[in-house]
Amino acid sequence: MGLFLKRTIAYILDFFVVSAFMWIISYFAYFGINYLNMFQIYHYFVFILPILILAYFTILEKNLGATVGKRLMFIEVKATVPRRGRLGRDYSITYSQALIRSLSKIYWFPIVFDVLLGKITGKTRLLDGITRTTVVEENTDVFFSNRNH
């Protein structure tokens, strides 16, 4: 299975995880909404979803190197330009890299443009090129990996 297909499947799996969080938030919010008769609050979920998506992708990719979907597909996010760490090269990404590369994942259509523009520039995604990050098979040293993925 190719890396692009793994990334696509991981994104779909992550969609289900984020949807589960939204369902849980909706379920618990319903009790307050129903009690106060404030059903118009559901209109705000359009704004809550992007925040949840950005938080999910940013926090997991920064702290764990991968989201749930990426872990299930045995892939992870790495920086293509390492920082010097106490133990040598550090390929983990920063919060700013994680946040910027997650911007196109807010809704499904920006990621399509991100991938198309990335293909034109020779990367898998445009934001991967901008943030100098890449997705690789787990336990891969980015220095030795193919940087076009």
Side-chain angles (χ1 to χ4, degrees):
M1 183 181 310
L3 190 58
F4 184 77
L5 181 58
K6 283 185 175 186
R7 289 180 74 166
T8 303
I9 293 170
Y11 181 71
I12 293 168
L13 293 171
D14 287 328
F15 168 78
F16 287 116
V17 172
V18 172
S19 294
F21 281 123
M22 279 302 290
W23 185 86
I24 292 168
I25 290 169
S26 298
Y27 181 76
F28 286 112
Y30 175 77
F31 292 113
I33 292 166
N34 192 30
Y35 179 75
L36 298 172
N37 198 20
M38 295 176 42
F39 291 101
Q40 70 274 14
I41 200 164
Y42 281 117
H43 297 285
Y44 293 103
F45 277 24
V46 174
F47 303 106
I48 294 172
L49 181 62
I51 294 168
L52 182 62
I53 289 171
L54 284 176
Y56 172 79
F57 282 99
T58 302
I59 291 168
L60 290 179
E61 288 180 351
K62 163 52 178 127
N63 294 326
L64 303 176
T67 59
V68 173
K70 285 183 181 73
R71 280 285 175 235
L72 290 171
M73 298 308 299
F74 302 104
I75 55 178
E76 60 188 352
V77 180
K78 300 267 188 159
T80 57
V81 178
R83 295 185 315 269
R84 286 199 170 263
R86 292 189 318 222
L87 303 174
R89 292 181 182 162
D90 181 11
Y91 287 99
S92 62
I93 64 174
T94 64
Y95 276 111
S96 60
Q97 286 174 309
L99 178 66
I100 292 168
R101 73 183 308 278
S102 299
L103 290 174
S104 67
K105 298 174 186 173
I106 291 176
Y107 292 109
W108 67 269
F109 54 90
I111 197 147
V112 171
F113 293 111
D114 187 13
V115 171
L116 290 175
L117 292 172
K119 294 292 183 186
I120 292 169
T121 62
K123 299 285 182 190
T124 304
R125 289 180 50 220
L126 179 65
L127 290 179
D128 282 350
I130 291 171
T131 58
R132 296 189 214 177
T133 58
T134 189
V135 175
V136 295
E137 301 284 338
E138 282 185 349
N139 302 318
T140 300
D141 187 344
V142 177
F143 185 74
F144 296 109
S145 72
N146 181 354
R147 293 181 185 220
N148 290 328
H149 293 282

